Amino acid sequence: MRLVVAAALILFSATPAAAKSCPPAEVERFSALIRDADGNVRLILATIRGRMTTDQVRCWAATGDRKMMVELGRRLEHGDGIARDAERAEELYKAAATPKLGTLWVYTPGVGGQPGRVMPIRTGPDEPGLPAAAFARALMHIEGRAARPSYAKGMKILKELSESGHAPARARYDAIMAGPTT
C-alpha cells in the first residue's frame, strides 16, 4: 500500500503544473484563394506563429520544454531582448541536450524480515536530448563565447555529435579538422 501511495505521489509531482498556465504564442491564421498555372482555384490555409516574448519563452522553458530551453539559451547567449548571460545559456543548452529517462527508481523497504529492493516506476516515455542544443553549446566553447570557454570541451561535444550523425556537427567538425584554407 505504501508503495502505491508513494508511486502516485511521484507521478503526480512529476507532471509540470506550470505548463497549463504559460501563455501560448500569438498566432495569425490566413486563408487565400489562388489560381494555379492550370487555372484551377485552390484554397490555401496558413497559420503563422509570432515571436514569443522572453517571459513566455522563460515560462515554457521552466516547464521542461526543450525547444523553449534552446530558444531561451539562444536569447541569453546573444543578449536578444534580455541581458546576456553565457553561463545560464550553457546550462540551458546542457539541460536540453541531456536525455531524460522515463523510469524512476524507487527504493521500497523490506517487509517481514525480507530485504528491501529497488523498483522501476515508468513515469513516461524516454526523451532523447536535442542535438541542436548540444551543437549550440559546442560552438559557444569553440568560438570562445562560453562563460569559461574550453576549446577541448567544445571539440569533444562536436565530435560526439558528428559521430552520432548530426549533419551540421559533422560539417563543422570536418571543416575544423581540415584546417584553414588559403
Side-chain angles (χ1 to χ4, degrees):
M1 179 63 179
R2 276 189 241 168
L3 176 61
V4 173
V5 172
L9 288 174
I10 290 167
L11 289 176
F12 287 122
S13 66
T15 58
K20 292 179 177 63
S21 65
C22 291
E26 298 293 323
V27 294
E28 293 183 41
R29 291 180 174 39
F30 294 96
S31 60
L33 291 172
I34 61 168
R35 186 178 308 271
D36 64 14
D38 296 329
N40 299 320
V41 175
R42 307 249 186 232
L43 174 65
I44 304 294
L45 302 172
T47 301
I48 299 173
R49 186 178 83 176
R51 177 179 162 93
M52 294 178 81
T53 67
T54 301
D55 287 337
Q56 289 172 316
V57 172
R58 185 180 283 123
C59 181
W60 283 103
T63 68
D65 184 318
R66 292 169 185 264
K67 290 180 181 177
M68 290 297 117
M69 293 167 97
V70 173
E71 175 60 19
L72 183 58
R74 185 195 65 74
R75 290 182 186 194
L76 285 166
E77 178 185 355
H78 299 288
D80 182 6
I82 190 171
R84 188 175 184 282
D85 186 349
E87 191 169 345
R88 179 72 180 128
E90 185 179 357
E91 289 171 4
L92 286 163
Y93 288 150
K94 184 176 182 179
T98 303
K100 180 180 160 191
L101 299 178
T103 302
L104 183 65
W105 295 89
V106 178
Y107 173 75
T108 58
V111 177
Q114 297 294 318
R117 61 184 178 160
V118 176
M119 296 180 57
I121 306 288
R122 290 297 293 175
T123 58
D126 294 344
E127 296 178 25
L130 293 180
F135 185 63
R137 182 173 176 229
L139 293 182
M140 279 184 76
H141 282 282
I142 291 168
E143 296 171 359
R145 294 189 318 268
R148 289 178 292 287
S150 169
Y151 186 80
K153 182 189 287 187
M155 285 302 292
K156 180 181 176 192
I157 296 168
L158 195 62
K159 182 179 180 186
E160 290 170 358
L161 270 176
S162 68
E163 289 173 350
S164 72
H166 189 255
R170 167 54 69 195
R172 180 60 71 96
Y173 184 76
D174 289 345
I176 291 171
M177 297 310 289
T181 58
T182 56

